[in-house]
PDB file of all heavy atoms in Angstrom:
ATOM      1  N   GLY A 142     -20.588-129.720 -73.396  1.00  0.00           N
ATOM      2  CA  GLY A 142     -19.183-129.653 -73.015  1.00  0.00           C
ATOM      3  C   GLY A 142     -18.575-128.274 -72.945  1.00  0.00           C
ATOM      4  O   GLY A 142     -17.375-128.160 -72.720  1.00  0.00           O
ATOM      5  N   LEU A 143     -19.370-127.214 -73.110  1.00  0.00           N
ATOM      6  CA  LEU A 143     -18.770-125.887 -73.026  1.00  0.00           C
ATOM      7  C   LEU A 143     -19.811-124.837 -72.675  1.00  0.00           C
ATOM      8  O   LEU A 143     -21.006-125.053 -72.817  1.00  0.00           O
ATOM      9  CB  LEU A 143     -18.084-125.508 -74.338  1.00  0.00           C
ATOM     10  CG  LEU A 143     -18.956-125.465 -75.588  1.00  0.00           C
ATOM     11  CD1 LEU A 143     -19.556-124.095 -75.778  1.00  0.00           C
ATOM     12  CD2 LEU A 143     -18.115-125.843 -76.777  1.00  0.00           C
ATOM     13  N   SER A 144     -19.307-123.713 -72.202  1.00  0.00           N
ATOM     14  CA  SER A 144     -20.180-122.567 -71.948  1.00  0.00           C
ATOM     15  C   SER A 144     -19.354-121.306 -72.114  1.00  0.00           C
ATOM     16  O   SER A 144     -18.129-121.325 -72.031  1.00  0.00           O
ATOM     17  CB  SER A 144     -20.781-122.624 -70.537  1.00  0.00           C
ATOM     18  OG  SER A 144     -19.757-122.509 -69.567  1.00  0.00           O
ATOM     19  N   GLY A 145     -20.044-120.217 -72.358  1.00  0.00           N
ATOM     20  CA  GLY A 145     -19.347-118.951 -72.522  1.00  0.00           C
ATOM     21  C   GLY A 145     -20.300-117.793 -72.318  1.00  0.00           C
ATOM     22  O   GLY A 145     -21.519-117.963 -72.274  1.00  0.00           O
ATOM     23  N   ALA A 146     -19.719-116.612 -72.196  1.00  0.00           N
ATOM     24  CA  ALA A 146     -20.503-115.392 -72.023  1.00  0.00           C
ATOM     25  C   ALA A 146     -19.769-114.228 -72.669  1.00  0.00           C
ATOM     26  O   ALA A 146     -18.542-114.136 -72.582  1.00  0.00           O
ATOM     27  CB  ALA A 146     -20.741-115.097 -70.555  1.00  0.00           C
ATOM     28  N   ILE A 147     -20.531-113.377 -73.335  1.00  0.00           N
ATOM     29  CA  ILE A 147     -20.006-112.128 -73.871  1.00  0.00           C
ATOM     30  C   ILE A 147     -20.786-111.015 -73.179  1.00  0.00           C
ATOM     31  O   ILE A 147     -22.018-111.037 -73.147  1.00  0.00           O
ATOM     32  CB  ILE A 147     -20.173-112.031 -75.399  1.00  0.00           C
ATOM     33  CG1 ILE A 147     -19.457-113.187 -76.099  1.00  0.00           C
ATOM     34  CG2 ILE A 147     -19.651-110.686 -75.906  1.00  0.00           C
ATOM     35  CD1 ILE A 147     -19.672-113.237 -77.606  1.00  0.00           C
ATOM     36  N   TYR A 148     -20.069-110.027 -72.634  1.00  0.00           N
ATOM     37  CA  TYR A 148     -20.687-108.939 -71.885  1.00  0.00           C
ATOM     38  C   TYR A 148     -20.733-107.673 -72.752  1.00  0.00           C
ATOM     39  O   TYR A 148     -19.748-107.340 -73.418  1.00  0.00           O
ATOM     40  CB  TYR A 148     -19.898-108.660 -70.607  1.00  0.00           C
ATOM     41  CG  TYR A 148     -19.869-109.846 -69.678  1.00  0.00           C
ATOM     42  CD1 TYR A 148     -18.891-110.829 -69.800  1.00  0.00           C
ATOM     43  CD2 TYR A 148     -20.838-109.991 -68.694  1.00  0.00           C
ATOM     44  CE1 TYR A 148     -18.873-111.938 -68.959  1.00  0.00           C
ATOM     45  CE2 TYR A 148     -20.826-111.093 -67.845  1.00  0.00           C
ATOM     46  CZ  TYR A 148     -19.842-112.061 -67.987  1.00  0.00           C
ATOM     47  OH  TYR A 148     -19.835-113.154 -67.159  1.00  0.00           O
ATOM     48  N   PHE A 149     -21.881-106.991 -72.708  1.00  0.00           N
ATOM     49  CA  PHE A 149     -22.093-105.798 -73.521  1.00  0.00           C
ATOM     50  C   PHE A 149     -22.405-104.598 -72.636  1.00  0.00           C
ATOM     51  O   PHE A 149     -23.102-104.718 -71.632  1.00  0.00           O
ATOM     52  CB  PHE A 149     -23.294-105.995 -74.455  1.00  0.00           C
ATOM     53  CG  PHE A 149     -23.072-107.021 -75.515  1.00  0.00           C
ATOM     54  CD1 PHE A 149     -23.264-108.373 -75.249  1.00  0.00           C
ATOM     55  CD2 PHE A 149     -22.680-106.647 -76.785  1.00  0.00           C
ATOM     56  CE1 PHE A 149     -23.066-109.329 -76.231  1.00  0.00           C
ATOM     57  CE2 PHE A 149     -22.475-107.593 -77.773  1.00  0.00           C
ATOM     58  CZ  PHE A 149     -22.667-108.940 -77.495  1.00  0.00           C
ATOM     59  N   ARG A 150     -21.890-103.456 -73.050  1.00  0.00           N
ATOM     60  CA  ARG A 150     -22.283-102.179 -72.450  1.00  0.00           C
ATOM     61  C   ARG A 150     -22.478-101.195 -73.592  1.00  0.00           C
ATOM     62  O   ARG A 150     -21.561-100.986 -74.385  1.00  0.00           O
ATOM     63  CB  ARG A 150     -21.227-101.663 -71.472  1.00  0.00           C
ATOM     64  CG  ARG A 150     -21.679-100.392 -70.763  1.00  0.00           C
ATOM     65  CD  ARG A 150     -20.749 -99.957 -69.649  1.00  0.00           C
ATOM     66  NE  ARG A 150     -20.789-100.937 -68.573  1.00  0.00           N
ATOM     67  CZ  ARG A 150     -19.727-101.248 -67.825  1.00  0.00           C
ATOM     68  NH1 ARG A 150     -18.566-100.684 -68.042  1.00  0.00           N
ATOM     69  NH2 ARG A 150     -19.842-102.149 -66.860  1.00  0.00           N
ATOM     70  N   GLU A 151     -23.693-100.640 -73.689  1.00  0.00           N
ATOM     71  CA  GLU A 151     -24.034 -99.713 -74.774  1.00  0.00           C
ATOM     72  C   GLU A 151     -23.746-100.332 -76.144  1.00  0.00           C
ATOM     73  O   GLU A 151     -23.299 -99.646 -77.057  1.00  0.00           O
ATOM     74  CB  GLU A 151     -23.268 -98.397 -74.617  1.00  0.00           C
ATOM     75  CG  GLU A 151     -23.641 -97.602 -73.394  1.00  0.00           C
ATOM     76  CD  GLU A 151     -25.050 -97.037 -73.487  1.00  0.00           C
ATOM     77  OE1 GLU A 151     -25.407 -96.491 -74.540  1.00  0.00           O
ATOM     78  OE2 GLU A 151     -25.786 -97.147 -72.496  1.00  0.00           O
ATOM     79  N   GLY A 152     -23.955-101.647 -76.242  1.00  0.00           N
ATOM     80  CA  GLY A 152     -23.767-102.335 -77.505  1.00  0.00           C
ATOM     81  C   GLY A 152     -22.348-102.761 -77.815  1.00  0.00           C
ATOM     82  O   GLY A 152     -22.101-103.477 -78.774  1.00  0.00           O
ATOM     83  N   ARG A 153     -21.392-102.343 -77.009  1.00  0.00           N
ATOM     84  CA  ARG A 153     -19.991-102.708 -77.238  1.00  0.00           C
ATOM     85  C   ARG A 153     -19.640-103.942 -76.423  1.00  0.00           C
ATOM     86  O   ARG A 153     -20.048-104.080 -75.272  1.00  0.00           O
ATOM     87  CB  ARG A 153     -19.050-101.575 -76.842  1.00  0.00           C
ATOM     88  CG  ARG A 153     -19.134-100.395 -77.795  1.00  0.00           C
ATOM     89  CD  ARG A 153     -18.025 -99.408 -77.560  1.00  0.00           C
ATOM     90  NE  ARG A 153     -16.704 -99.994 -77.709  1.00  0.00           N
ATOM     91  CZ  ARG A 153     -15.984 -99.967 -78.828  1.00  0.00           C
ATOM     92  NH1 ARG A 153     -16.469 -99.402 -79.898  1.00  0.00           N
ATOM     93  NH2 ARG A 153     -14.790-100.499 -78.860  1.00  0.00           N
ATOM     94  N   VAL A 154     -18.844-104.818 -77.011  1.00  0.00           N
ATOM     95  CA  VAL A 154     -18.333-105.977 -76.283  1.00  0.00           C
ATOM     96  C   VAL A 154     -17.255-105.463 -75.344  1.00  0.00           C
ATOM     97  O   VAL A 154     -16.288-104.832 -75.781  1.00  0.00           O
ATOM     98  CB  VAL A 154     -17.751-107.023 -77.259  1.00  0.00           C
ATOM     99  CG1 VAL A 154     -17.092-108.151 -76.489  1.00  0.00           C
ATOM    100  CG2 VAL A 154     -18.835-107.551 -78.188  1.00  0.00           C
ATOM    101  N   ILE A 155     -17.439-105.716 -74.041  1.00  0.00           N
ATOM    102  CA  ILE A 155     -16.465-105.204 -73.065  1.00  0.00           C
ATOM    103  C   ILE A 155     -15.664-106.314 -72.392  1.00  0.00           C
ATOM    104  O   ILE A 155     -14.604-106.049 -71.826  1.00  0.00           O
ATOM    105  CB  ILE A 155     -17.137-104.328 -71.988  1.00  0.00           C
ATOM    106  CG1 ILE A 155     -18.181-105.126 -71.199  1.00  0.00           C
ATOM    107  CG2 ILE A 155     -17.737-103.080 -72.623  1.00  0.00           C
ATOM    108  CD1 ILE A 155     -18.657-104.430 -69.935  1.00  0.00           C
ATOM    109  N   ALA A 156     -16.164-107.556 -72.450  1.00  0.00           N
ATOM    110  CA  ALA A 156     -15.456-108.672 -71.830  1.00  0.00           C
ATOM    111  C   ALA A 156     -16.097-109.969 -72.301  1.00  0.00           C
ATOM    112  O   ALA A 156     -17.218-109.966 -72.818  1.00  0.00           O
ATOM    113  CB  ALA A 156     -15.525-108.593 -70.300  1.00  0.00           C
ATOM    114  N   ALA A 157     -15.371-111.063 -72.133  1.00  0.00           N
ATOM    115  CA  ALA A 157     -15.913-112.369 -72.505  1.00  0.00           C
ATOM    116  C   ALA A 157     -15.163-113.461 -71.774  1.00  0.00           C
ATOM    117  O   ALA A 157     -14.015-113.265 -71.338  1.00  0.00           O
ATOM    118  CB  ALA A 157     -15.814-112.586 -74.015  1.00  0.00           C
ATOM    119  N   GLU A 158     -15.812-114.608 -71.656  1.00  0.00           N
ATOM    120  CA  GLU A 158     -15.169-115.784 -71.060  1.00  0.00           C
ATOM    121  C   GLU A 158     -15.710-117.034 -71.742  1.00  0.00           C
ATOM    122  O   GLU A 158     -16.869-117.070 -72.154  1.00  0.00           O
ATOM    123  CB  GLU A 158     -15.404-115.829 -69.553  1.00  0.00           C
ATOM    124  CG  GLU A 158     -16.825-115.614 -69.147  1.00  0.00           C
ATOM    125  CD  GLU A 158     -16.985-115.152 -67.715  1.00  0.00           C
ATOM    126  OE1 GLU A 158     -16.161-114.381 -67.213  1.00  0.00           O
ATOM    127  OE2 GLU A 158     -17.982-115.581 -67.113  1.00  0.00           O
ATOM    128  N   PHE A 159     -14.846-118.024 -71.884  1.00  0.00           N
ATOM    129  CA  PHE A 159     -15.191-119.261 -72.577  1.00  0.00           C
ATOM    130  C   PHE A 159     -14.608-120.419 -71.780  1.00  0.00           C
ATOM    131  O   PHE A 159     -13.424-120.407 -71.444  1.00  0.00           O
ATOM    132  CB  PHE A 159     -14.605-119.230 -73.991  1.00  0.00           C
ATOM    133  CG  PHE A 159     -14.921-120.455 -74.803  1.00  0.00           C
ATOM    134  CD1 PHE A 159     -16.188-120.658 -75.323  1.00  0.00           C
ATOM    135  CD2 PHE A 159     -13.940-121.401 -75.057  1.00  0.00           C
ATOM    136  CE1 PHE A 159     -16.477-121.782 -76.093  1.00  0.00           C
ATOM    137  CE2 PHE A 159     -14.216-122.522 -75.820  1.00  0.00           C
ATOM    138  CZ  PHE A 159     -15.488-122.712 -76.333  1.00  0.00           C
ATOM    139  N   ARG A 160     -15.468-121.409 -71.463  1.00  0.00           N
ATOM    140  CA  ARG A 160     -15.044-122.553 -70.654  1.00  0.00           C
ATOM    141  C   ARG A 160     -15.357-123.865 -71.362  1.00  0.00           C
ATOM    142  O   ARG A 160     -16.477-124.342 -71.288  1.00  0.00           O
ATOM    143  CB  ARG A 160     -15.779-122.540 -69.317  1.00  0.00           C
ATOM    144  CG  ARG A 160     -15.429-121.396 -68.441  1.00  0.00           C
ATOM    145  CD  ARG A 160     -16.188-121.499 -67.109  1.00  0.00           C
ATOM    146  NE  ARG A 160     -16.140-120.239 -66.422  1.00  0.00           N
ATOM    147  CZ  ARG A 160     -17.046-119.290 -66.540  1.00  0.00           C
ATOM    148  NH1 ARG A 160     -18.099-119.461 -67.291  1.00  0.00           N
ATOM    149  NH2 ARG A 160     -16.929-118.153 -65.891  1.00  0.00           N
ATOM    150  N   PRO A 161     -14.365-124.447 -72.033  1.00  0.00           N
ATOM    151  CA  PRO A 161     -14.585-125.789 -72.581  1.00  0.00           C
ATOM    152  C   PRO A 161     -14.470-126.816 -71.467  1.00  0.00           C
ATOM    153  O   PRO A 161     -13.812-126.569 -70.450  1.00  0.00           O
ATOM    154  CB  PRO A 161     -13.456-125.945 -73.603  1.00  0.00           C
ATOM    155  CG  PRO A 161     -12.395-124.993 -73.154  1.00  0.00           C
ATOM    156  CD  PRO A 161     -13.084-123.883 -72.403  1.00  0.00           C
ATOM    157  N   ALA A 162     -15.145-127.949 -71.620  1.00  0.00           N
ATOM    158  CA  ALA A 162     -15.091-128.992 -70.586  1.00  0.00           C
ATOM    159  C   ALA A 162     -13.662-129.483 -70.396  1.00  0.00           C
ATOM    160  O   ALA A 162     -13.234-129.765 -69.289  1.00  0.00           O
ATOM    161  CB  ALA A 162     -16.009-130.151 -70.955  1.00  0.00           C
ATOM    162  N   SER A 163     -12.944-129.600 -71.490  1.00  0.00           N
ATOM    163  CA  SER A 163     -11.535-129.984 -71.391  1.00  0.00           C
ATOM    164  C   SER A 163     -10.729-128.889 -72.068  1.00  0.00           C
ATOM    165  O   SER A 163     -11.136-128.327 -73.075  1.00  0.00           O
ATOM    166  CB  SER A 163     -11.295-131.316 -72.096  1.00  0.00           C
ATOM    167  OG  SER A 163     -11.670-131.215 -73.449  1.00  0.00           O
ATOM    168  N   GLY A 164      -9.626-128.570 -71.491  1.00  0.00           N
ATOM    169  CA  GLY A 164      -8.807-127.519 -72.071  1.00  0.00           C
ATOM    170  C   GLY A 164      -8.799-126.285 -71.210  1.00  0.00           C
ATOM    171  O   GLY A 164      -9.420-126.216 -70.154  1.00  0.00           O
ATOM    172  N   GLU A 165      -8.102-125.299 -71.694  1.00  0.00           N
ATOM    173  CA  GLU A 165      -7.864-124.086 -70.934  1.00  0.00           C
ATOM    174  C   GLU A 165      -8.975-123.061 -71.147  1.00  0.00           C
ATOM    175  O   GLU A 165      -9.438-122.852 -72.266  1.00  0.00           O
ATOM    176  CB  GLU A 165      -6.530-123.496 -71.411  1.00  0.00           C
ATOM    177  CG  GLU A 165      -6.065-122.317 -70.611  1.00  0.00           C
ATOM    178  CD  GLU A 165      -4.687-121.848 -71.084  1.00  0.00           C
ATOM    179  OE1 GLU A 165      -3.861-122.698 -71.430  1.00  0.00           O
ATOM    180  OE2 GLU A 165      -4.498-120.624 -71.111  1.00  0.00           O
ATOM    181  N   GLU A 166      -9.384-122.413 -70.060  1.00  0.00           N
ATOM    182  CA  GLU A 166     -10.364-121.337 -70.169  1.00  0.00           C
ATOM    183  C   GLU A 166      -9.761-120.197 -70.967  1.00  0.00           C
ATOM    184  O   GLU A 166      -8.558-119.965 -70.922  1.00  0.00           O
ATOM    185  CB  GLU A 166     -10.732-120.813 -68.773  1.00  0.00           C
ATOM    186  CG  GLU A 166     -11.664-121.716 -68.015  1.00  0.00           C
ATOM    187  CD  GLU A 166     -12.153-121.072 -66.725  1.00  0.00           C
ATOM    188  OE1 GLU A 166     -12.170-119.830 -66.630  1.00  0.00           O
ATOM    189  OE2 GLU A 166     -12.514-121.822 -65.822  1.00  0.00           O
ATOM    190  N   LYS A 167     -10.615-119.495 -71.694  1.00  0.00           N
ATOM    191  CA  LYS A 167     -10.159-118.361 -72.485  1.00  0.00           C
ATOM    192  C   LYS A 167     -10.943-117.137 -72.062  1.00  0.00           C
ATOM    193  O   LYS A 167     -12.070-117.246 -71.591  1.00  0.00           O
ATOM    194  CB  LYS A 167     -10.340-118.634 -73.968  1.00  0.00           C
ATOM    195  CG  LYS A 167      -9.505-119.823 -74.411  1.00  0.00           C
ATOM    196  CD  LYS A 167      -9.610-120.087 -75.870  1.00  0.00           C
ATOM    197  CE  LYS A 167      -8.749-121.312 -76.179  1.00  0.00           C
ATOM    198  NZ  LYS A 167      -8.696-121.599 -77.576  1.00  0.00           N
ATOM    199  N   ALA A 168     -10.324-115.977 -72.254  1.00  0.00           N
ATOM    200  CA  ALA A 168     -10.991-114.735 -71.863  1.00  0.00           C
ATOM    201  C   ALA A 168     -10.892-113.705 -72.979  1.00  0.00           C
ATOM    202  O   ALA A 168     -10.021-113.783 -73.846  1.00  0.00           O
ATOM    203  CB  ALA A 168     -10.365-114.176 -70.581  1.00  0.00           C
ATOM    204  N   ASP A 169     -11.826-112.788 -72.944  1.00  0.00           N
ATOM    205  CA  ASP A 169     -11.872-111.611 -73.788  1.00  0.00           C
ATOM    206  C   ASP A 169     -11.747-111.938 -75.278  1.00  0.00           C
ATOM    207  O   ASP A 169     -12.572-112.675 -75.786  1.00  0.00           O
ATOM    208  CB  ASP A 169     -10.850-110.590 -73.289  1.00  0.00           C
ATOM    209  CG  ASP A 169     -11.149-110.221 -71.825  1.00  0.00           C
ATOM    210  OD1 ASP A 169     -12.336-110.240 -71.453  1.00  0.00           O
ATOM    211  OD2 ASP A 169     -10.216-109.970 -71.056  1.00  0.00           O
ATOM    212  N   ARG A 170     -10.765-111.401 -75.990  1.00  0.00           N
ATOM    213  CA  ARG A 170     -10.716-111.556 -77.455  1.00  0.00           C
ATOM    214  C   ARG A 170     -10.730-113.022 -77.866  1.00  0.00           C
ATOM    215  O   ARG A 170     -11.460-113.415 -78.774  1.00  0.00           O
ATOM    216  CB  ARG A 170      -9.475-110.868 -77.993  1.00  0.00           C
ATOM    217  CG  ARG A 170      -9.411-110.845 -79.502  1.00  0.00           C
ATOM    218  CD  ARG A 170      -8.203-110.034 -79.944  1.00  0.00           C
ATOM    219  NE  ARG A 170      -8.363-109.579 -81.302  1.00  0.00           N
ATOM    220  CZ  ARG A 170      -7.471-109.817 -82.247  1.00  0.00           C
ATOM    221  NH1 ARG A 170      -6.388-110.512 -81.980  1.00  0.00           N
ATOM    222  NH2 ARG A 170      -7.664-109.359 -83.459  1.00  0.00           N
TER     223      ARG A 170
END
């Protein structure tokens, strides 16, 4: 029911996205 991704550059978290099957998508922090 969900998926997400955290993006890294030089070991630092630079962006993220989270998609639950129901509910609002979330980004970054």
Side-chain angles (χ1 to χ4, degrees):
L143 60 89
S144 65
I147 301 175
Y148 298 87
F149 293 83
R150 184 172 293 146
E151 295 291 314
R153 289 191 59 94
V154 174
I155 61 167
E158 48 202 36
F159 181 74
R160 294 182 196 92
S163 59
E165 187 176 323
E166 284 188 25
K167 298 182 181 184
D169 302 328
R170 186 175 201 235

